[in-house]
Amino acid sequence: FLLEATYHLGRITFVGGKFLNGTAFSHFIILLYFIIPTSCVVIFSSFSCIDFNIDNDLNDDDDVVSYLRADLSIQCEDHSDYSSHKMTNKYLFIFIYAVFMVVIIPIGVPALLFTLLWLKRNEIEERETRRGGPELKYLSFLFRLYGREHWHYSTIDLYRRIILSSVVLSLPTIETVFILVFGLSVYCVLMYREVGPYWDASSDVLSYVCGWQVVVCAVALLLTEFSERGANQGGASTSGSSTDAERDA
């Protein structure tokens, strides 16, 4: 549905038509803006696999088999011969389809919204009110919060939301997740503070405060993970000591 709607949207936009000036198109943009991050969560979940240790009778070492984290019934790698780690046919199809969808939705749709704004950039920069004139009605949802020269920040914020909510799902370790989330969040906080892209100064202050909340959440996530690791290692050490004591007895 999303691909078909995007296709007709682009066709009408660049070929011409009255649909752009209608209320339906404005509502479509609002809906698109909010469902993109949710769709991206599903897409990037396709790149995250979890490993399990299994016993291998062919040698003394344990083999590792991986399954899709979002659906543990789907095996990511084929270990039938215990010598190669190629993708299973089912997961290979999912992987290729997910890559294709990354180009279409997380990259393509925000780029399309930016293009629509860019085509009307002169009118947006010359507007006297938040929403502008009737010719900008269908795009006002995207730029109404931002100043005249910062109309493109809606797409920047959309990419930020996609990265923080979806791209992190495809990263292999909590350390890489923390580096990306912490680095991007701090950068956005400082950038928004220096640029002040919003129409009202109060919105800039609110954005600054909320940005630091994201940074604090990232630090809390890392500390929680390290705390759980420490507890698990402590439990394993205690269990091992108890086993050794029983053997000695």
Side-chain angles (χ1 to χ4, degrees):
F1 168 77
L2 184 60
L3 289 177
E4 182 180 0
T6 304
Y7 165 74
H8 288 294
L9 170 63
R11 180 177 62 83
I12 294 174
T13 300
F14 295 104
V15 174
K18 297 182 179 180
F19 178 69
L20 288 177
N21 297 325
T23 304
F25 182 74
S26 177
H27 291 168
F28 173 76
I29 287 183
I30 297 174
L31 178 64
L32 197 64
Y33 190 81
F34 284 106
I35 67 174
I36 285 177
T38 304
S39 302
C40 292
V41 168
V42 178
I43 294 172
F44 283 99
S45 296
S46 303
F47 301 114
S48 178
C49 295
I50 184 171
D51 296 333
F52 294 95
N53 293 325
I54 60 174
D55 294 331
N56 182 12
D57 297 335
L58 300 179
N59 54 56
D60 297 332
D61 298 329
D62 290 340
D63 270 288
V64 176
V65 60
S66 60
Y67 288 88
L68 188 63
R69 189 182 298 270
D71 187 352
L72 295 178
S73 65
I74 300 176
Q75 186 174 346
C76 296
E77 296 181 350
D78 185 7
H79 297 264
S80 58
D81 57 358
Y82 296 101
S83 60
S84 63
H85 299 282
K86 63 180 181 179
M87 296 181 183
T88 60
N89 293 332
K90 186 174 184 179
Y91 179 68
L92 180 61
F93 172 79
I94 295 175
F95 183 86
I96 294 175
Y97 182 75
V99 171
F100 175 74
M101 294 305 296
V102 165
V103 177
I104 297 298
I105 297 181
I107 298 177
V109 174
L112 175 62
L113 296 179
F114 175 82
T115 302
L116 293 175
L117 290 170
W118 183 81
L119 292 174
K120 292 289 185 178
R121 65 190 184 281
N122 293 329
E123 291 84 347
I124 295 174
E125 292 176 357
E126 295 173 357
R127 74 188 192 275
E128 297 297 332
T129 61
R130 280 181 177 235
R131 297 180 179 273
E135 72 279 2
L136 297 175
K137 180 180 178 181
Y138 66 96
L139 290 175
S140 61
F141 173 79
L142 296 176
F143 63 77
R144 63 187 175 88
L145 296 178
Y146 301 95
R148 295 178 178 87
E149 298 179 354
H150 305 298
W151 49 266
H152 55 285
Y153 268 78
S154 59
T155 52
I156 293 177
D157 187 68
L158 182 56
Y159 277 122
R160 180 189 65 85
R161 292 167 56 203
I162 291 174
I163 293 174
L164 294 180
S165 65
S166 306
V167 175
V168 294
L169 298 177
S170 62
L171 300 181
T173 63
I174 188 64
E175 289 80 9
T176 55
V177 170
F178 173 77
I179 291 173
L180 177 61
V181 172
F182 182 82
L184 178 62
S185 299
V186 172
Y187 174 78
C188 288
V189 167
L190 298 179
M191 179 185 66
Y192 276 61
R193 184 192 66 183
E194 297 299 323
V195 176
Y198 289 95
W199 185 274
D200 295 327
S202 58
S203 298
D204 290 322
V205 175
L206 180 61
S207 173
Y208 183 72
V209 174
C210 293
W212 279 116
Q213 288 183 343
V214 176
V215 175
V216 171
C217 290
V219 175
L221 173 65
L222 184 66
L223 294 177
T224 302
E225 179 66 20
F226 284 162
S227 177
E228 292 179 353
R229 288 185 183 181
N232 293 335
Q233 291 177 357
S237 177
T238 303
S239 177
S241 299
S242 301
T243 303
D244 293 339
E246 292 176 357
R247 290 178 179 176
D248 294 338

